[in-house]
């Protein structure tokens, strides 16, 4: 009974914190511009199924993809066991599903154990890969301090949680022969290897170990669920909507600005109706997070900082400051900063800071070649290029702060209709120069 | 060369089947003018019913949009669309992936709807239709050629095979760089980089890419974009290999193999 009360309290606390964070994240994303993404529903579902559910883009790197796939399937399947944990916790039962499922329960538990072992080994491999092997994308400038700690904490937590399951099952199996409260599960293959460690312990000690592991696992999972909302690990949920809302047009397409279209049309005398003045003046391009679309902001929360984008970025590869991953991390950090400020009654967006300037510099955005390598590389269809281009629009149109040579290029286009300083009347001269091959 | 303008044809009450959009580099850049001419020679040889806009052509606005000046982009786009729609243009071919991308993907929202194809696809179609025949592969037979993917053809528009099929028609030994197709490394001059110096770094992108291309051992680096042409040529010069390695456009390779 005490255990049941303790469980209800634990569950309540976890739910409270998760709910609070989920609402905060939702409100942070809503700081972004309202943009309707409601077209081509079939294609969007297909993308979500292939890319998020089916992990299609992960498989560009085979070995990490397989290991990641085990962790992913483990996450999906082992959560079924968590369901039993919750029912047991609330009703004070033990392995409540076992009598209903009969021998199938044992099979199911063996599958869970296989996945637990696979997750454990994959996480150990990932820890080694991240910390020992010198893979550049795990040692970039933006991947120090919290992001580095975050990545390792996730892996270590998963290892510890899986160890708890196996310990629990090992002690449980011994107890099955000693105490009828412990329902027979049949042989559990992987945890059987741990039995020699516990065999000689007294029944009382074993019950304690089993209970401890049970509580440790469920508190661990609930605690981890709260942690995830503060972590890059949020991709486990947001990858799904993010791929659903991902860009469907050709990657080379840049979003149109209808506000500008209206103005240009009226300047050229193309539109008969008076241009509707926009409800709020709004900025051209983006200076801060509220100038980006809500989908750009959701993408920032979906980023798990794997750095495949940065590893493919030609600017980053040649030592420029630009890192597409940092663009996403900065967007998220700025959202968190604004969100925290709003939560504590602070100035929020009007804190005198902005995404451009305080987080992302012009030097970074100017280095982008718009080659789409980052977009292509992202396993969850995040588009850092969209953010970069919105920031450039702000710099060019609101600040007139583009590099001097770009301003000359603009001037050339305006006066000569070509980005170089050539006379428009010479445009067709090539046809007269037949002889010089 | 026979290079009709749309205005000439219009005066005779005709219009071309396909408009050849030359682009600013194709019109003004000395190196890329040679590509323009090679492509015209091919079209002349196969009897394509085409015309150019001549002095009525104007920058698509691509570099302005990518650098962030949306006003200027849309001014250019609207003006071009007025001209194109005025002549009733239905189909456009261009040797510039940036012009291609902009007209194909970005003009429709502004009222310009055309069938737009890049010259690599156009050449591939001519080869498939048997209009360009290269008996025995010509002078490139068995020679190592590597193809540098233009970002605005490849990732931007998923055109990876057409340029390669054109090269295969040469019966050349097509060798791929390690980073190719979807993971092809940019030459460094997209996104309006052509019009300013690179930011501070430890290397120029085009040198990184030229090294990779040279590493294949190919004596010809095939490109399909004016910016790639400039960047790869400069990269090869930087490595002091311009004497034995040449950077050439697909149209030039076909024209050369055909003796045009």
């Amino acid at each position: 009974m005490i255990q049941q009360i303790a469980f209800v309290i634990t569950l309540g606390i976890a739910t409270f914190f998760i709910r609070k964070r989920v609402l905060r994240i939702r409100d942070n994303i809503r700081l972004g511009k309202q943009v309707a993404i409601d077209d081509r529903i079939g294609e969007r579902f297909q993308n979500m199924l292939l890319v998020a559910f089916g992990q299609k883009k992960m498989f560009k790197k085979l070995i990490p993809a397989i290991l990641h796939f085990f962790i992913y399937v483990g996450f999906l399947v082992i959560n079924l066991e968590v369901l039993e944990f919750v029912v047991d916790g609330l009703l004070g039962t033990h392995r409540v599903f076992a009598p209903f499922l009969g021998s199938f329960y044992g099979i199911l538990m063996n599958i869970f154990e296989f996945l637990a072992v696979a997750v454990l080994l994959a996480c150990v491999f990932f820890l080694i890969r991240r910390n020992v092997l010198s893979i550049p994308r795990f040692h970039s400038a933006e991947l120090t301090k919290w992001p580095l700690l975050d990545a390792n904490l996730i892996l270590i937590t998963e290892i510890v949680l899986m160890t708890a399951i196996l310990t629990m099952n090992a002690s449980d199996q011994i107890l099955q022969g000693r105490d009828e409260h412990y329902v027979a599960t049949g042989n559990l293959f992987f945890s059987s290897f741990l039995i020699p460690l516990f065999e000689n312990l007294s029944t009382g000690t074993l019950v304690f170990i089993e209970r401890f592991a049970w509580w440790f696992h469920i508190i661990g999972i609930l605690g981890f669920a709260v942690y995830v909302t503060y972590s890059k690990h949020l991709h486990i949920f947001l990858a799904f909507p993010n791929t659903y809302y991902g860009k469907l047009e050709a990657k080379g397409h840049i979003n149109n600005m209808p506000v500008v279209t209206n103005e240009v049309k009226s300047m050229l005398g193309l539109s008969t109706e008076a241009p509707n003045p926009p409800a709020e003046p709004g900025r051209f391009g983006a200076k801060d997070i509220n100038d980006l679309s809500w989908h750009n902001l959701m993408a920032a929360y979906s980023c798990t900082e794997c750095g495949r984008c940065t590893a493919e970025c030609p600017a980053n590869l040649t030592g420029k400051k630009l890192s597409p991953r940092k663009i996403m991390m900065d967007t998220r950090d700025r959202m968190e900063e604004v969100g925290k400020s709003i939560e504590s009654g602070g100035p929020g967006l009007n804190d005198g800071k902005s995404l451009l300037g305080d987080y992302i510099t012009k030097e970074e955005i100017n280095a982008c070649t718009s080659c789409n390598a980052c977009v292509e590389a992202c396993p969850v269809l995040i588009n850092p290029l969209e953010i970069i281009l919105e920031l450039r629009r702000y710099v060019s149109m609101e600040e007139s702060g583009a590099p001097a040579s770009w301003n000359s290029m603009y001037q050339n286009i305006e006066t000569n209709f070509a980005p170089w300083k050539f006379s428009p009347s010479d445009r067709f001269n090539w046809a007269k120069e037949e002889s010089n091959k | 060369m026979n290079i009709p303008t749309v205005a000439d044809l219009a005066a005779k009450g005709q219009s071309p089947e396909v408009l050849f959009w030359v682009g600013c580099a194709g019109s003004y850049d000395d190196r890329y003018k040679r590509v323009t001419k090679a492509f015209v020679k091919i079209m002349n040889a196969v009897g394509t019913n085409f015309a150019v806009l001549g002095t009525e052509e104007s920058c698509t606005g691509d570099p302005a949009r990518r650098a962030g000046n949306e006003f200027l982009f849309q001014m250019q786009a609207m003006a071009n669309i007025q001209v194109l729609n005025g002549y009733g243009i239905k189909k456009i071919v261009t040797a510039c992936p940036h012009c291609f991308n902009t007209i194909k993907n970005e003009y429709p929202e502004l009222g310009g709807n055309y069938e737009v194809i890049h010259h690599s696809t156009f050449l591939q179609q001519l080869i498939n239709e048997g209009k360009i025949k290269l008996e025995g592969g010509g002078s490139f037979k068995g020679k190592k050629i590597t193809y540098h993917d233009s970002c605005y053809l490849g990732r931007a528009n998923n055109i990876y095979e057409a340029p390669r099929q054109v090269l295969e028609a040469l019966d050349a030994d097509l060798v791929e760089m390690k980073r190719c197709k979807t993971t092809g490394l940019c030459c460094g001059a997209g996104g309006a980089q052509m019009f300013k110096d690179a930011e501070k770094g430890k290397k120029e992108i085009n040198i990184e890419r030229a090294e990779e291309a040279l590493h294949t051992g190919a004596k010809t680096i095939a490109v399909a974009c004016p910016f790639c042409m400039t960047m790869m040529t400069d990269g090869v010069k930087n490595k002091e290999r311009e004497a034995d390695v040449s950077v050439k456009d697909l149209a030039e390779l076909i024209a050369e193999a055909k003796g045009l």
Side-chain angles (χ1 to χ4, degrees):
Chain A
M1 192 62 189
I2 295 168
Q3 282 202 42
Q4 276 168 271
I5 293 167
F7 185 80
V8 172
I9 293 170
T10 311
L11 200 62
I13 293 172
T15 311
F16 172 79
F17 281 112
I18 292 170
R19 182 175 173 278
K20 190 165 166 241
R21 265 303 282 174
V22 167
L23 294 179
R24 176 76 262 145
I25 290 167
R26 187 198 63 181
D27 289 348
N28 283 357
I29 291 173
R30 282 185 179 169
L31 290 170
K33 269 193 207 161
Q34 290 299 312
V35 180
I37 308 180
D38 47 14
D39 58 337
R40 297 155 84 176
I41 291 168
E43 275 172 81
R44 295 187 179 282
F45 264 107
Q46 201 183 353
N47 265 348
M48 187 170 76
L49 278 177
L50 283 174
V51 179
F53 200 74
Q55 314 230 316
K56 184 180 156 198
K57 295 190 84 180
M58 281 300 289
F59 279 85
K60 285 183 179 174
K61 293 183 194 290
L62 191 64
I63 293 170
I66 293 169
L67 294 171
H68 180 270
F69 189 74
F70 278 129
I71 300 181
Y72 163 67
V73 175
F75 164 75
L76 291 180
V77 174
I78 293 173
N79 275 334
L80 290 175
E81 196 182 4
V82 173
L83 184 69
E84 188 185 40
F85 271 61
V86 172
V87 177
D88 278 345
L90 290 174
L91 304 180
T93 47
H94 183 72
R95 296 195 185 270
V96 66
F97 296 155
F100 299 103
L101 298 173
S103 62
F104 182 63
Y105 186 82
I107 297 171
L108 215 54
M109 283 302 131
N110 271 307
I111 294 174
F112 291 170
E113 282 202 350
F114 165 74
L115 286 169
V117 171
V119 169
L120 202 153
L121 293 178
C123 288
V124 169
F125 175 83
F126 282 155
L127 264 180
I128 295 171
R129 189 176 69 134
R130 184 172 284 271
N131 295 290
V132 182
L133 305 184
S134 50
I135 295 170
R137 67 187 160 107
F138 296 135
H139 304 280
S140 318
E142 70 265 21
L143 221 60
T144 52
K145 297 178 192 159
W146 163 243
L148 175 68
L149 179 67
D150 186 18
N152 284 324
L153 276 178
I154 293 162
L155 293 170
I156 292 167
T157 306
E158 290 184 5
I159 291 171
V160 170
L161 288 175
M162 295 305 113
T163 311
I165 285 196
L166 295 169
T167 305
M168 183 188 82
N169 281 355
S171 48
D172 192 293
Q173 280 189 84
I174 305 169
L175 286 167
Q176 285 170 28
R178 300 190 193 175
D179 183 339
E180 62 185 25
H181 174 71
Y182 288 89
V183 195
T185 55
N187 180 272
L188 303 178
F189 182 77
F190 291 97
S191 58
S192 301
F193 290 101
L194 296 176
I195 287 178
L197 290 176
F198 303 109
E199 231 163 13
N200 300 323
L201 299 174
S202 71
T203 302
T205 315
L206 277 175
V207 170
F208 177 78
I209 290 176
E210 191 278 332
R211 281 293 85 194
F212 181 82
W214 189 92
W215 275 99
F216 186 88
H217 186 72
I218 191 70
I219 291 177
I221 282 195
L222 292 173
F224 192 52
V226 176
Y227 174 84
V228 163
T229 63
Y230 291 92
S231 153
K232 74 183 190 94
H233 209 51
L234 204 48
H235 82 291
I236 58 176
F237 299 109
L238 288 180
F240 293 90
N242 196 63
T243 49
Y244 178 85
Y245 290 112
K247 187 181 175 84
L248 295 177
E249 296 92 357
K251 287 196 191 69
H253 169 267
I254 291 184
N255 292 331
N256 193 36
M257 290 179 70
V259 191
V260 173
T261 311
N262 289 340
E263 283 206 32
V264 169
K265 273 190 176 162
S266 70
M267 277 166 76
L268 294 172
L270 288 175
S271 97
T272 44
E273 71 219 79
N276 303 328
E280 45 182 319
R283 276 184 190 132
F284 290 121
K287 182 189 187 193
D288 209 346
I289 48 167
N290 58 322
D291 304 318
L292 295 169
S293 77
W294 65 269
H295 181 237
N296 293 144
L297 301 187
M298 189 174 77
Y301 273 122
S302 314
C303 173
T304 195
E305 300 166 16
C306 73
R308 290 178 184 216
C309 50
T310 295
E312 297 287 331
C313 173
N316 190 275
L317 281 171
T318 52
K320 279 86 176 173
K321 280 202 180 135
L322 174 64
S323 161
R325 170 172 55 187
K326 180 176 171 290
I327 299 287
M328 302 317 298
M329 292 167 74
D330 285 341
T331 303
R332 179 182 177 144
D333 289 348
R334 174 62 183 152
M335 261 192 294
E336 283 290 307
E337 181 180 57
V338 171
K340 248 181 227 149
S341 169
I342 292 173
E343 217 164 36
S344 58
L349 283 160
N350 304 315
D351 60 354
K353 290 176 151 191
S354 59
L355 180 63
L356 181 70
D358 294 295
Y359 286 82
I360 301 171
T361 60
K362 285 188 201 171
E363 184 180 344
E364 292 167 65
I365 57 169
N366 286 347
C368 173
T369 69
S370 73
C371 76
N372 268 303
C374 56
V375 181
E376 178 72 40
C378 182
V380 294
L381 308 186
I382 295 171
N383 193 326
L385 179 56
E386 264 181 23
I387 296 178
I388 294 171
L389 291 168
E390 288 300 326
L391 297 172
R392 279 189 181 179
R393 281 175 167 171
Y394 175 80
V395 173
S396 264
M397 292 193 282
E398 294 275 359
E399 283 190 329
S400 300
S405 28
W406 274 356
N407 284 329
S408 315
M409 178 262 287
Y410 295 155
Q411 213 170 19
N412 287 333
I413 295 179
E414 273 166 37
T415 51
N416 309 322
F417 310 117
W420 294 288
K421 214 177 175 97
F422 290 109
S423 163
S425 58
D426 292 342
R427 186 177 273 272
F428 197 34
N429 286 2
W430 60 270
K432 296 171 209 152
E433 308 159 5
E434 282 185 51
S435 52
N436 64 343
K437 199 184 166 191
Chain B
M1 285 192 296
N2 172 28
I3 315 163
T5 64
V6 182
D8 291 343
L9 294 186
K12 289 185 261 175
Q14 297 169 348
S15 74
E17 231 168 72
V18 53
L19 170 80
F20 172 31
W21 183 274
V22 182
C24 299
S27 303
Y28 294 115
D29 178 82
D30 282 336
R31 177 67 189 87
Y32 221 67
K33 279 194 264 186
R34 278 154 51 194
V35 176
T36 304
K37 288 174 205 166
F39 187 55
V40 165
K41 281 177 191 164
I42 295 169
M43 288 195 290
N44 280 165
V46 300
T48 307
N49 175 1
F50 79 99
V52 298
L53 282 171
T55 52
E56 287 185 278
E57 198 185 277
S58 175
C59 173
T60 59
D62 157 87
R65 180 170 244 196
R66 269 126 197 104
N69 193 335
E70 183 71 8
F71 270 104
L72 183 54
F73 162 72
Q74 294 208 13
M75 293 291 285
Q76 286 299 111
M78 297 281 190
N80 283 326
I81 290 167
Q82 273 188 303
V83 172
L84 294 167
N85 289 354
Y87 282 124
I89 298 297
K90 299 274 182 302
K91 185 174 175 182
I92 299 173
V93 62
T94 175
C96 173
H98 296 262
C99 298
F100 165 72
N101 177 70
T102 303
I103 303 175
K104 180 173 191 280
N105 296 321
E106 295 175 356
Y107 278 18
E109 281 167 310
L110 302 171
N113 292 286
Y114 322 99
E115 182 193 347
V116 190
I117 62 170
H118 183 252
H119 80 313
S120 56
T121 309
F122 190 82
L123 291 171
Q124 179 211 11
Q125 287 169 358
L126 291 178
I127 291 164
N128 289 351
E129 290 162 8
K131 289 186 182 157
I132 297 178
K133 283 198 199 83
L134 292 161
E135 283 88 9
S139 48
F140 293 99
K141 188 180 166 69
K143 288 197 179 144
K144 265 192 190 175
I145 295 184
T146 189
Y147 172 68
H148 163 78
D149 284 281
S150 149
C151 306
Y152 273 79
L153 275 191
R155 279 184 294 268
N157 287 292
N158 285 318
I159 298 178
Y160 299 107
E161 290 314 315
R164 287 178 169 79
Q165 285 183 21
V166 171
L167 292 173
E168 275 161 23
L170 295 170
D171 215 5
D173 178 14
L174 181 61
V175 282
E176 294 289 355
M177 291 182 249
K178 191 163 170 255
R179 289 173 283 197
C180 65
K181 298 180 185 171
T182 56
T183 56
L185 183 72
C186 175
C187 70
Q193 298 298 333
M194 196 69 208
F195 308 100
K196 72 167 190 37
D197 288 329
E199 274 55 43
K200 207 160 79 36
K202 52 182 201 283
K203 198 174 190 179
E204 295 289 338
I205 297 171
N206 64 326
I207 293 172
E208 169 85 8
R209 186 56 165 170
E211 284 172 359
E212 193 174 4
L214 292 171
H215 189 72
T216 63
K219 292 283 183 274
T220 304
I221 301 168
V223 294
C225 166
F227 300 156
C228 298
M229 173 70 86
T230 303
M231 299 308 280
M232 295 305 284
T233 307
D234 287 353
V236 169
K237 273 189 195 147
N238 182 279
K239 304 307 289 182
E240 298 180 339
R241 291 292 299 278
E242 69 269 33
D244 66 322
V245 176
S246 56
V247 182
K248 285 194 172 145
D249 178 82
L250 299 172
E252 292 181 299
L253 293 171
I254 293 287
E256 210 175 309
K258 289 287 288 174
L260 292 170

